[in-house]
Amino acid sequence: MSEPAPRPWSVQEFFSWQEQQPERYELVGGVPVRLMAGARNVHDDIVVNLVAEFRTRLRGTPCRPFTGDGSVETLPGQIRRPDLGVDCGPRDPNGLSAAEPRLVVEVLSPSTRDFDAFDKLEEYKTLPSLAVILLVEPNAPEIALWHRDADGVWQRRLVTGLDGTIDLPEFGMTLALAEVYDGVAFPARPRLVSGTGD
């Protein structure tokens, strides 16, 4: 006789449990899923550059960046941890998730590339407050920009080259790829962003 399926966890149960864990987890389908550990240096360099850029540019506004220790609730009861996000909602110092996420960033890696570029992307698109999604290629200066237009339809644009820029009027700023990739040496290996579909 088979075991009954475990009862899905609530978001509150998940966060209470997560606070006692040494590693980071997401809540997927009501079940905690451990995140991959040990990101490559290039991944970390890009995330640090993004945090520095958004923190500097958003200073004095209601919006602030958060890291992968923060979270967003994509679907009801589903918790994701983007590499970086921007929260424009009221800041609860004891909160565990973004109140009003407006932007999320995923820096792609070989092990999670397909999931981040397709499955997780579709989850992010369901967030009504979200206006911008960035999928960042670590092996070349390429960023896939997903932007919600005035009609609420998601549009995709690929921005390439260190002289490329991404206009983010929601935040009154332009993101330069040269800043995102500052100090990054590109290896001779396949790119991860170009193959993502519209």
Side-chain angles (χ1 to χ4, degrees), residues 94-177:
N94 297 311
L96 297 168
S97 60
E100 189 181 321
R102 298 292 305 282
L103 173 147
V104 293
V105 179
E106 293 287 355
V107 179
L108 302 182
S109 65
S111 60
T112 63
R113 178 240 186 218
D114 287 343
F115 179 73
D116 288 344
F118 295 100
D119 296 357
K120 194 181 278 191
L121 173 66
E122 292 307 311
E123 282 186 38
Y124 286 142
K125 287 180 179 179
T126 67
L127 283 166
S129 66
L130 204 61
V132 179
I133 303 166
L134 300 177
L135 300 181
V136 180
E137 163 65 58
N139 298 324
E142 294 184 359
I143 298 177
L145 161 68
W146 289 89
H147 184 269
R148 198 190 301 262
D149 67 18
D151 296 322
V153 177
W154 286 99
Q155 305 293 335
R156 179 184 181 269
R157 183 166 68 94
L158 188 64
V159 182
T160 64
L162 289 175
D163 58 347
T165 59
I166 295 173
D167 291 326
L168 298 172
E170 299 83 2
F171 309 108
M173 64 179 279
T174 297
L175 184 65
L177 270 66

